[in-house]
Amino acid sequence: MSSQHKIALSTFIGLTMALCATVRSIPTLAAAGWTLLVYIIFAVLFFAAPIAFISGELSTMLPQEGGPQLWVKTALGNKWGFVVAWLLWVQMFPGMVMVASTLGPLLGNTFGNVPLGNNHWFILGCILIIYWIITFLNLKFDMAKVGGNIGVWLGVYIPVLVIFIMGAFALSKVGIVSHGYLGSFSWSKVVPNLQNMETFKYLAGIMFIFVGIEMSSVFMPRLKDATKNYTKGVFISLIGLVLLNLVNAALVANVVPNGKMELSNITQPILIYCHILGLPTIIANIFSFMVFIGVLLQLSAWVTGPS
């Protein structure tokens, strides 16, 4: 592939982040309260880091196009390589429908029409229409570069920065809120035990944050200086995922009243921040639209990768 069509390290990091990073996962992590510290360490040590090490090692050994399908085909033969390729592709049907199901509520929140966003027919229409639009765009344009260079800023980096800045100012103004998901710190709240076992239900969702980090290996042939930059890019992305989720989840968990977390509504903490800081709620509408762009970016990355 000619050098002008190669993607730079920064674009590759953006693509990898696009596969996994989204502020939608922050409420799930925040709902675990102080236990989020143990859960995210567990998810990184026993799920995300091993996958990053394996994909980094195998991608540098086999830098050709194919990713996980190529690795398995090389080790076990064409039949099992086909099985892996099929599983990676077919899981998009339930997986991406789940991700795309947030498009309707996000679009409704953008225009301040929450009932419309929660209408199941509107959600279905958003899933079908937008998924086809993304498919045609990927057929017509190099959406990998668009997503990695521009889309990740609009849909991931800027929303993450907004929610962090608002959360930090809210924390400085009200401190640790006693009725929030965090409340006063104690080690009994950090370590899962019989008293807070209900937080175990969030562990799978927290591990799901890192699902797809290995899929960036399919872009290996397009990456400049791939043998050096792939492993570096994956681990920079992993560190970024941990930081953006951990810090923001702690800030959100502080202000949302205990038992009131809306896991599918990322605009909830933004509205609370606006109330605390005395800011106009239109910020939540703009934020919802940017998260909408982030979900589109994630869908586009998954349409491109497994295909």
Side-chain angles (χ1 to χ4, degrees), residues 2 17 30 44 59 64 66 68 84 97-98 103 107-108 117 169 184 201 224-225 236 265 279 284 290 302 307:
S2 60
M17 294 285 283
V44 169
S59 290
Q64 300 83 13
V84 169
V97 166
M98 180 185 71
L103 291 171
L107 207 53
F169 274 106
S184 58
K201 62 188 177 184
K224 292 180 182 177
D225 199 1
I236 291 174
N265 183 13
L279 298 173
M290 298 194 76
W302 276 98
S307 299

Side-chain angles (χ1 to χ4, degrees), residues 116-127:
L116 175 65
N118 291 329
N119 182 282
H120 61 278
W121 291 112
F122 180 72
I123 294 173
L124 176 62
C126 286
I127 293 172

Side-chain angles (χ1 to χ4, degrees), residues 180-195:
Y181 275 79
L182 290 184
S184 58
F185 176 81
S186 69
W187 286 109
S188 62
K189 292 181 179 179
V190 175
V191 181
N193 52 50
L194 294 177
Q195 279 68 46

Side-chain angles (χ1 to χ4, degrees), residues 46-58:
F46 295 100
F47 184 71
I51 289 176
F53 276 117
I54 291 169
S55 60
E57 178 69 17
L58 292 176

Side-chain angles (χ1 to χ4, degrees), residues 105-112 114 162 166 265-275 279-292:
L106 286 170
L107 207 53
N109 289 336
T110 298
F111 297 106
V114 176
V162 168
M166 293 183 71
N265 183 13
I266 185 55
T267 58
Q268 181 194 23
I270 296 296
L271 288 170
I272 295 175
Y273 291 153
C274 288
H275 176 73
L279 298 173
T281 56
I282 193 174
I283 293 174
N285 302 108
I286 298 172
F287 181 84
S288 185
F289 179 70
M290 298 194 76
V291 178
F292 175 83

Side-chain angles (χ1 to χ4, degrees), residues 24-40 42-43 181 189 192 196-210 249 253 256-264:
R24 293 183 308 102
S25 57
I26 290 173
T28 301
L29 188 57
W34 285 109
T35 318
L36 67 88
L37 297 171
V38 171
Y39 285 165
I40 201 158
F42 179 88
Y181 275 79
K189 292 181 179 179
N196 60 0
M197 279 190 66
E198 69 273 8
T199 61
F200 274 113
K201 62 188 177 184
Y202 301 119
L203 180 57
I206 293 169
M207 295 181 71
F208 189 76
I209 293 170
F210 304 101
V256 177
N258 199 8
K260 302 293 185 181
M261 186 74 71
E262 298 175 12
L263 298 180
S264 61

